[in-house]
Amino acid sequence: MGGMRDIQPRLQTYLGTWDRHKHIWDVDKDAFMRRYAKANRALTAYETDITRYKELQYEIQAEEGVTAIGFIRVDASPLKQALVAHCHTWQIKFTQLLNANAANELGSLAEHMASVTATFAQRPASLDQLAEHINLHASESATLASNEERFEPLETQYRLLDKFEVQVKEAELERLAGLRVEWESYKTTLSEASARLQRVKADFKEELVTALADFNDRVAEARAAFLAEGPFSADPTAEAAASLLSGFRKQAAAIRKQESDLAAGLQIFAIEQPANEETAQTERELDLLDAIWEMVGEWRGSMDGWKYGRFAEMDTASIVAAAQQFAKRVHKLKKEVKGWPVLGSLSEEIEGIKKLMPLISDMRNEAMRERHWAQLMEQVGQTFDPHASSFTLEKALELGLQEHEELIASLSTAAAKELAIEESIAKVEATWKELQLDIAEYKEEYLKLRSSEDVYSALEDNAVALSTMKSSRFAAAFLAALDKWEKTLSHISETVEALTGTQRKWMYLESIFVGSEDIRKQLPAESASFDAVNAAFCETMWSLRDAPSALAGCSAPGVLEGLLEMDEKLDRIQKSLDEYLETKRQAFPRFYFLSNDDLLEILGQARDPQAVQPHMRKCFEAIKTLDMREAAHRGKRGLEAVGIQAVDKEYVPLSAPVACGGPVESWLLAVEKGMVDTLAGLLFRCYAEMKKAKREKWIRDWAGMLSLAAGQIAWTAECTKALHLMAEGHKTAMRQARKKQTSLLNKLCDMVRGNLGSLDRKKVVNILTVEVHSREVLDKMVKAGCASVNDFEWLLQLRFYWEAGTERCVVRQTNTCHKFGYEYIGNPGRLVITPLTDRCYTTLTTALHLHRGGLPQGPAGTGKTETVKDLSKNLAKNCIVFNCSDGLDYKSLGRMFSGLAQTGAWSCFDEFNRIEVEV
């Protein structure tokens, strides 16, 4: 086995030596030869390929047939024989193709010479044959040299076949041998043919000249006959004209045929062919006459249909369109034709029917009524039935109606205008027959008018339409109907307007009197009156919904009167309600700052103090809820307020519980008094605790506004003390105060950096903001050298003092003095105080001292409102921000001023210039 493995590579190498001959047997010989033939290879390529396969044959024969490789004897003799056979086949394929190409070329040359010789052996019998002989002789003479050059390559092919010992047919060899002799004979034939053709040409020329003269005479006669007998007038019928044109066209075709026959002979003798403009002109005019008479036939057919068709069924639009189309075609032909009577007559007929179109349109007007036809018959003095089948356009022309064109036009115009009014009235009637009031359910038990846009839109459009119709001079026949609809639309408009106003007031009062038993008890007469109105309104709404249309509903007897009566009663109820609310506002003036809806909601829940809790922030800006607990009061169990809680969850216990029973305005007023008394007492205690406790604990234990106020009081006292010392000669007193203030700020900064709760952080940040300004004030006073409590730099500042002999705080600035308001303000962010802020404070406090108002001015977003609010926080005053608009009326503004005057609160009127001057 080891020996076999060693020999196997050698065997593979030996077999690979035969692969170089693979192309000999692997290629499809027939397909290759087909491609070879199409390629039209040169003769040298044939010789090269045949020689290559011959050499391959010799090379393969020289190979060893038997070879010993190791202990294996390989016999390749059968393979050699097969390869030799393939090489021989390839040689045969190439030589056969070469022989076939040579035979084809030889046959082509011989047949060509024989064909030409046979042609020239016959004498031309006609001009066509003469032309063919002349053209053939010219062609052969031109290609004589190129044809002779084909002999050498052909002879070379046969020599190559002889070289490779190819057996060629004897007939081919004989034809090849006689080719040169035959060629010399062929050239002699061409020479003799040239002389014969010259003699034949002379004979034919005389006949051609005579034929040409006859042809010219025939053309002139045909042209004259056409001009004399052609259908240029409008007299013949379309069929007769078509017959004439057909005859003339055949005559022209015959002339063209004769002209074509002469053309070949004229070309032979180089005679210039006549232009024959007469026939060409005749052909052009025949085409034009064909088009004209085709159009005349179409027009006369259309006219018959229009003239004798029923007048009532005439389609004037299609007649006008057809006439316009015919007119365009005539206009186009007139550019090419001048003075033909048939075209002029057709043009006049078209213009005539176009002139009748206004008359036909007016008489075909659908708006024409019997009164208009009667008026027409009276004017023309003729009687006819315009709707009868016998009434045609021809009949109308016989009656002479075209003579009364202006009268008919005016009647048609009047009829159209009257029809437009009639249709508009019908449209108005159809609109209100279908238009419904948009009534929908309200609170699942009532009905309301959801929208009146569609009704008002229809009312506006129809009112304008009726007014326009009534002003028309053609409205005389419809004045009664127009007056009726004007009154109807006016009634609908009044009813819908009354319904809209009554519904708005009813919806407002329904939520008050139906949903609140407390208000019903306090306004019993008004409640009974509203119940009656409510029942009547509901009944009216049900009847309007069940009505088939808005017209039927609004026109029902008593609907408008009932709505007006309900509206009047609702106005009286509203007035009584407003008077009732005014008494409540006078009892608790902060109610002036609430809308009627909010106030009614509070009053409607007066029996349950807890239900008033969501409205606390509307009365007290910083108080979110009251801490209410059950307790006995005057022998009855009820709720009492023991503390107030802010939005940020800061809690301030009241110094004395406030009973939350009875009228809501009474106990809310008690809560307000309790808040002021509590904060007044706590502020004094807070200031007293300030010096005893650590600052961190002190800030945590006391409400934020109290810490701020107490800090300001302490700062004022410290500065006053330092100024007195400066006045006594202690020059470093102010610097010592500033150093103490800086130390306080450092402590506050440390607290901010520490771990503080959300509420405590707000307190510290607010105190830090105010104390930073206090330090800046000390810096100013040190730089200014202040040494007295009367120095202006000191008097400019907000200074907090205890009122002499009391525990009440007062705030001074310049020569003004303001009581601290003790309004609970919670812990809102405080404004960073700048020099501009100080000037605003000075201006506003001076204005208050003089019982005037302030008007900060500046671009939007610069802090005008925030400055006023921050000053109110400094003085613990209730400040209400009010955004003004051009919709603000004098009643709302008066109610706001009443509240401000009675509560002592401040108000910041943003965009005050938007309020109307009259208000």
Side-chain angles (χ1 to χ4, degrees), residues 370-519:
E370 291 301 326
R371 63 179 181 274
H372 303 115
W373 288 113
Q375 188 177 351
L376 174 60
M377 288 183 234
E378 182 181 350
Q379 291 289 334
V380 300
Q382 298 282 354
T383 303
F384 55 88
D385 183 3
H387 309 296
S389 59
S390 59
F391 187 72
T392 62
L393 177 60
E394 184 72 14
K395 178 69 174 176
L397 296 175
E398 289 176 4
L399 291 171
L401 296 183
Q402 68 272 21
E403 304 297 330
H404 304 277
E405 187 174 352
E406 291 185 5
L407 171 62
I408 295 172
S410 63
L411 286 174
S412 177
T413 302
K417 298 291 186 181
E418 291 174 11
L419 178 62
I421 294 173
E422 186 178 341
E423 290 176 347
S424 297
I425 293 174
K427 186 177 178 182
V428 170
E429 186 174 352
T431 298
W432 290 102
K433 189 175 181 181
E434 297 175 0
L435 187 62
Q436 300 280 343
L437 289 173
D438 185 10
I439 295 176
E441 286 191 2
Y442 175 65
K443 291 187 177 180
E444 297 183 355
E445 57 178 322
Y446 300 116
L447 295 174
K448 72 168 185 175
L449 180 64
R450 180 163 52 191
S451 172
S452 58
E453 289 184 9
D454 292 343
V455 175
Y456 277 121
S457 177
L459 283 169
E460 184 177 351
D461 294 343
N462 293 161
V464 172
L466 290 173
S467 177
T468 304
M469 287 186 277
K470 203 169 182 181
S471 63
S472 172
R473 63 189 179 90
F474 303 101
F478 310 100
L479 285 177
L482 291 172
D483 289 339
K484 172 197 165 188
W485 273 108
E486 278 190 338
K487 292 177 182 177
T488 301
L489 295 185
S490 176
H491 183 81
I492 294 173
S493 177
E494 290 179 23
T495 304
V496 174
E497 187 176 350
L499 175 61
T500 304
T502 303
Q503 177 177 277
R504 183 175 59 253
K505 297 171 184 177
W506 169 81
M507 289 174 67
Y508 174 70
L509 295 173
E510 184 272 337
S511 60
I512 297 170
F513 287 100
V514 175
S516 174
E517 289 298 327
D518 289 342
I519 293 177

Side-chain angles (χ1 to χ4, degrees), residues 607-880:
R607 291 180 298 175
D608 182 10
Q610 290 288 8
V612 182
Q613 292 274 38
H615 302 280
M616 287 303 298
R617 289 200 67 187
K618 297 173 184 176
C619 300
F620 304 92
E621 184 180 0
I623 299 177
K624 182 181 180 183
T625 57
L626 296 174
D627 181 13
M628 292 185 179
R629 299 176 186 175
E630 285 195 12
H633 184 68
R634 294 181 181 178
K636 295 182 180 180
R637 301 291 294 178
L639 293 174
E640 61 181 17
V642 297
I644 56 180
Q645 187 166 3
V647 178
D648 55 11
K649 299 183 181 179
E650 183 178 68
Y651 182 79
V652 178
L654 293 173
S655 56
V658 176
C660 299
V664 64
E665 64 274 13
S666 300
W667 63 263
L668 281 176
L669 193 64
V671 167
E672 180 183 17
K673 184 176 183 305
M675 172 189 71
V676 172
D677 293 344
T678 297
L679 292 175
L682 290 177
L683 179 58
F684 193 80
R685 288 170 53 196
C686 177
Y687 178 72
E689 285 288 328
M690 184 179 180
K691 299 177 181 178
K692 301 176 184 177
K694 287 186 176 182
R695 183 59 65 105
E696 294 85 346
K697 184 177 184 303
W698 175 75
I699 290 173
R700 290 191 182 95
D701 291 346
W702 295 94
M705 67 168 289
L706 299 177
S707 303
L708 278 169
Q712 289 295 92
I713 294 171
W715 174 78
T716 303
E718 189 69 28
C719 290
T720 303
K721 178 181 175 183
L723 288 169
H724 283 305
L725 290 173
M726 289 287 290
E728 294 172 2
H730 294 80
K731 296 182 180 181
T732 61
M734 287 301 294
R735 290 188 176 85
Q736 290 295 327
R738 182 177 63 180
K739 185 177 180 181
K740 188 174 180 181
Q741 183 71 15
T742 302
S743 175
L744 172 62
L745 287 173
N746 290 334
K747 289 182 181 179
L748 293 172
C749 289
D750 292 339
M751 288 184 68
V752 168
R753 295 190 192 100
N755 188 15
L756 295 174
S758 174
L759 177 60
D760 292 336
R761 183 169 296 278
K762 285 183 181 179
K763 292 180 184 179
V764 175
V765 169
N766 287 341
I767 293 172
L768 194 57
T769 302
V770 174
E771 295 296 347
V772 165
H773 177 253
S774 299
R775 183 197 62 186
E776 291 173 352
V777 171
L778 285 169
D779 287 341
K780 284 183 184 179
M781 290 196 295
V782 169
K783 290 177 182 178
C786 292
S788 169
V789 292
N790 295 319
D791 283 346
F792 188 67
E793 191 66 38
W794 169 245
L795 294 176
L796 280 175
Q797 310 306 318
L798 281 176
R799 310 184 305 282
F800 290 73
Y801 301 96
W802 291 113
E803 191 175 6
T806 67
E807 295 180 359
R808 291 281 180 170
C809 177
V810 294
V811 182
R812 299 181 184 277
Q813 189 171 33
T814 60
N815 61 339
T816 67
C817 181
H818 308 275
K819 291 184 178 179
F820 193 73
Y822 294 106
E823 174 79 17
Y824 180 67
I825 60 174
N827 293 284
R830 299 303 294 268
L831 197 66
V832 174
I833 303 170
T834 65
L836 179 60
T837 311
D838 280 331
R839 288 198 295 275
C840 290
Y841 285 176
T842 304
T843 304
L844 291 173
T845 53
T846 304
L848 287 171
H849 178 70
L850 298 173
H851 304 294
R852 297 183 179 276
L855 181 62
Q857 285 186 320
T862 51
K864 302 183 292 297
T865 301
E866 292 302 318
T867 299
V868 175
K869 288 174 65 178
D870 201 67
L871 179 60
S872 71
K873 293 169 189 173
N874 276 313
L875 301 182
K877 292 286 188 180
N878 182 22
C879 182
I880 298 161

